[in-house]
Amino acid sequence: MTRVFSGIKPTGNVHLGNLFGALTRWVDDQHRADSIYCVVDLHALTVPQDPAELREATLRLAQILLAVGIDPSVSTLFVQSHVPEHTEGAWLMECTAAFGELRRMTQFKDKSDKADFVSGGLFTYPALMAADILLYDTDEVPVGDDQRQHVELARDLAERFNSRYGPTFTVPRATFPAAGARIMDLQDPTSKMSKSEDQAPGTILFLDEPAAIEKKLKRAVTDTEAEVRYDVAAKPGVSNLLSILGAATGRTPEEAAQGYTQYGPLKTDAAAAVIERLAPMQERFRELAADPAETARILAAGAEKARAVAAATLTRAKDHIGLLPPG
Ligand code: AMP
Ligand code: TRP
């Protein structure tokens, strides 16, 4: 059976882009593949975090994943730091990656240019990500386009390790969402919707109330024509509304465009569809949030399942690279 692995960082607020671009795909994948999903709290540490906030964000993100439909009886859901094999595997990957290879990662260049404190972890982060993936004999890694280079590196490291020390790791490949799954900012539809402060008018958050969703969609930037058509280059705002309406109702943006001639009704219907799609997930989130012990139990069981797989792979890798087995 195909093995799927993906991870999401517990930083910022989950928004519609995360939901339609990543999480609904995770939910779909769990029925055709053996899926393992991870809240990557160690990756969040590449920039300084408030300890209480990080703990809270990690639990909340796990609850959101369960609420959107990750089913722990079908998939494995766990928190990265609960499986110490990840950090140990990361060291093997750091020693397999070339310095120049890590230096060429565009995300490192972007983030280190902007940050006033650049941690060593920010630089070696792709090695940890490679360990995450390779420890589970992963075939497919569902990610957004921004992670393409990191998954490529994981492939290269798997191949290099295998050719140096003998067959050890499965060589993974990235899978990407359909074109319409890229959700853009409602106020600036040429840049993607992103995790940001609570009140951002261009971002619809997973936990937004219906009134906020309506308001944000009603104020979404469109254009001065009066024609509803999916054309990302010429009509980014309208196309984004069609992507949102389509994703919320299980259709392509082109299908969603049918029957609309004006922007007003398109916005109203997009808001109604998003509210209807989110309502049962938000309800489930509230139930889970009221019982953190239940989430803790699910995560403990997930970590135990994950650890059994990760430990076997790590033992194999340590043996092949020449580390003396204990006792
Ligand atoms: P991030 O929010 O950047 O940590 O990303 C978490 C996951 O959501 C990744 O798989 C991203 O590719 C995906 N994602 C983030 N923003 C968007 C967006 N605006 N549209 C579609 N997918 C997104
Ligand atoms: N780096 C990814 C991001 O920022 C998160 C991540 C960490 C990940 N480990 C992973 C994604 C392993 C896929 C597989 O979105």
Side-chain angles (χ1 to χ4, degrees):
M1 201 178 187
T2 305
R3 168 67 54 75
V4 165
F5 181 96
S6 198
I8 181 167
K9 270 187 298 195
T11 50
N13 289 304
V14 172
H15 54 75
L16 222 52
N18 299 133
L19 186 67
F20 294 148
L23 304 184
T24 52
R25 216 152 54 99
W26 292 17
V27 173
D28 292 343
D29 276 347
Q30 67 184 345
H31 302 297
R32 64 159 187 94
D34 178 5
S35 303
I36 305 181
Y37 299 122
C38 185
V39 177
V40 291
D41 55 348
L42 297 171
H43 278 90
L45 298 180
T46 54
V47 293
Q49 301 287 339
D50 177 83
E53 272 174 29
L54 178 60
R55 254 189 300 274
E56 154 80 21
T58 303
L59 181 66
R60 194 174 54 221
L61 181 55
Q63 290 166 335
I64 290 177
L65 296 178
L66 292 167
V68 303
I70 302 297
D71 177 352
S73 69
V74 179
S75 307
T76 302
L77 175 67
F78 73 105
V79 173
Q80 190 181 29
S81 65
H82 294 175
V83 178
E85 281 75 8
H86 287 251
T87 39
E88 213 179 328
W91 179 250
L92 301 187
M93 290 302 114
E94 281 174 49
C95 296
T96 306
F99 181 80
E101 219 164 21
L102 292 172
R103 202 175 40 197
R104 280 195 296 277
M105 294 290 124
T106 56
Q107 196 176 72
F108 173 73
K109 286 191 230 164
D110 291 349
K111 291 199 174 177
S112 58
D113 279 349
K114 284 178 208 149
D116 31 55
F117 174 76
V118 180
S119 70
L122 190 68
F123 185 68
T124 56
Y125 163 121
L128 176 60
M129 178 162 162
D132 298 343
I133 296 167
L134 301 185
L135 282 173
Y136 297 96
D137 295 324
T138 303
D139 300 298
E140 294 177 12
V141 189
V143 281
D145 202 48
D146 58 325
Q147 296 300 314
R148 184 185 292 269
Q149 201 186 24
H150 293 156
V151 181
E152 270 312 305
L153 179 72
R155 278 181 72 87
D156 292 345
L157 298 184
E159 280 168 354
R160 186 172 309 149
F161 196 103
N162 290 347
S163 76
R164 277 189 190 158
Y165 308 113
T168 308
F169 296 120
T170 300
V171 179
R173 66 182 188 89
T175 63
F176 302 99
R182 188 145 196 250
I183 305 300
M184 311 308 282
D185 188 282
L186 298 174
Q187 291 301 316
D188 173 13
T190 55
S191 52
K192 66 173 197 170
M193 189 176 281
S194 61
K195 291 172 173 175
S196 50
E197 75 275 18
D198 285 345
Q199 297 305 328
T203 301
I204 295 178
L205 301 178
F206 175 77
L207 291 172
D208 269 351
E209 300 285 336
I213 295 171
E214 254 165 32
K215 187 167 149 190
K216 289 174 184 177
L217 278 165
K218 212 163 265 172
R219 295 188 182 170
V221 168
T222 51
D223 53 52
T224 54
E225 295 177 9
E227 195 196 350
V228 176
R229 136 176 86 83
Y230 185 68
D231 179 343
V232 175
K235 298 173 76 69
V238 172
S239 299
N240 191 36
L241 291 170
L242 291 169
S243 294
I244 291 171
L245 177 60
T249 53
R251 292 174 298 167
T252 65
E254 289 89 351
E255 284 164 359
Q258 282 167 25
Y260 290 101
T261 50
Q262 290 175 310
Y263 297 163
L266 172 61
K267 289 179 169 181
T268 310
D269 289 1
V274 169
I275 291 166
E276 193 182 319
R277 184 74 198 271
L278 288 179
M281 298 177 180
Q282 294 177 336
E283 173 66 28
R284 177 82 185 113
F285 173 79
R286 279 184 219 107
E287 289 165 15
L288 288 157
D291 185 5
E294 164 72 1
T295 310
R297 271 193 298 277
I298 292 170
L299 293 175
E304 201 183 327
K305 267 203 296 180
R307 196 161 185 192
V309 182
T313 316
L314 185 67
T315 300
R316 189 166 73 228
K318 287 166 75 175
D319 179 46
H320 291 184
I321 207 171
L323 297 174
L324 180 68

